[in-house]
């Protein structure tokens, strides 16, 4: 699957056994102009990463009622550094999933979709693995 054949909208037709791979090139295109929602557990983990209380962390790094990570004036994530993600080991679930979207229905069945990549994204989509091996490589099961 190359960028020219990527979907233009989200179609949740993948399971954990579906063929999928993504090789991030640390270009940072996915780290711009996104509303990254975090949950209370992610806020706590990130606060601990910085040695802050959750109240201090939310005041400095989060907006919109403590749910969305702040963006820098250039539209980049507050944690993006020239060398890549400054909180990579503690990054939120939505960042770990990228470029996948995930839905879990009321019966606990999960499905995945490949998000359309930003035109400047240098990441490489493919089918060398499975959704499951990709999720495992991103540390998803821990979260």
């Amino acid at each position: 699957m190359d960028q020219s054949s990527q979907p233009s909208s989200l179609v949740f037709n993948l399971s954990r056994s579906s063929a999928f791979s993504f090789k991030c090139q640390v270009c940072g295109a996915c780290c711009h102009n996104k509303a990254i929602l975090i949950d209370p557990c992610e806020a706590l983990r990130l606060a601990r990463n910085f040695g802050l209380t959750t109240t201090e962390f939310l005041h400095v790094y989060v907006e919109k009622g403590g749910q969305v990570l702040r963006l820098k004036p250039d539209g980049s994530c507050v944690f993006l550094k020239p060398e890549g993600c400054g909180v990579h080991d503690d990054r939120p679930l939505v960042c770990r999933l990228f470029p996948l979207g995930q839905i879990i229905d009321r019966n606990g069945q999960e499905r995945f979709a490949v998000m359309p990549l930003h035109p400047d994204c240098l990441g490489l989509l493919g089918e060398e693995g499975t959704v499951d091996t990709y999720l495992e490589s991103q540390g998803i099961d821990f979260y």
Side-chain angles (χ1 to χ4, degrees), residues 61-136:
Y61 295 105
V62 182
E63 59 190 11
K64 300 194 180 179
Q67 296 179 333
V68 179
L69 290 179
R70 289 187 191 279
L71 296 178
K72 296 177 190 173
D74 69 356
S76 65
C77 175
V78 68
F79 299 126
L80 185 62
K81 298 181 182 259
E83 63 276 7
C85 180
V87 294
H88 193 265
D89 290 345
D90 293 313
R91 68 197 183 282
L93 177 62
V94 69
C95 300
R96 291 172 187 276
L97 284 169
F98 185 82
L100 293 173
Q102 176 190 44
I103 58 172
I104 302 173
D105 68 22
R106 65 181 72 153
N107 298 319
Q109 297 297 312
E110 60 185 355
R111 292 177 299 174
F112 300 89
V114 178
M115 294 183 191
L117 300 179
H118 186 279
D120 295 334
C121 179
L122 301 175
L124 304 172
L125 287 169
E127 297 182 346
E128 290 81 45
T130 63
V131 168
D132 193 48
T133 56
Y134 179 73
L135 297 177
E136 184 178 308

Side-chain angles (χ1 to χ4, degrees), residues 30-41:
C30 63
C31 303
H32 286 78
N33 303 310
K34 300 274 189 322
I36 302 298
L37 296 170
I38 62 170
D39 68 24
C41 293

Side-chain angles (χ1 to χ4, degrees), residues 5-16:
S5 67
Q6 70 174 313
S8 60
S9 64
L10 293 180
V11 178
F12 288 88
N13 61 350
L14 301 177
S15 68
R16 283 187 174 246

Side-chain angles (χ1 to χ4, degrees), residues 30-63:
C30 63
C31 303
H32 286 78
N33 303 310
K34 300 274 189 322
I36 302 298
L37 296 170
I38 62 170
D39 68 24
C41 293
E42 291 170 327
L44 176 61
R45 186 174 64 249
L46 287 163
R48 287 181 177 168
N49 175 306
F50 288 100
L52 300 172
T53 67
T54 52
T55 301
E56 292 167 330
F57 173 80
L58 294 173
H59 178 74
V60 174
Y61 295 105
V62 182
E63 59 190 11

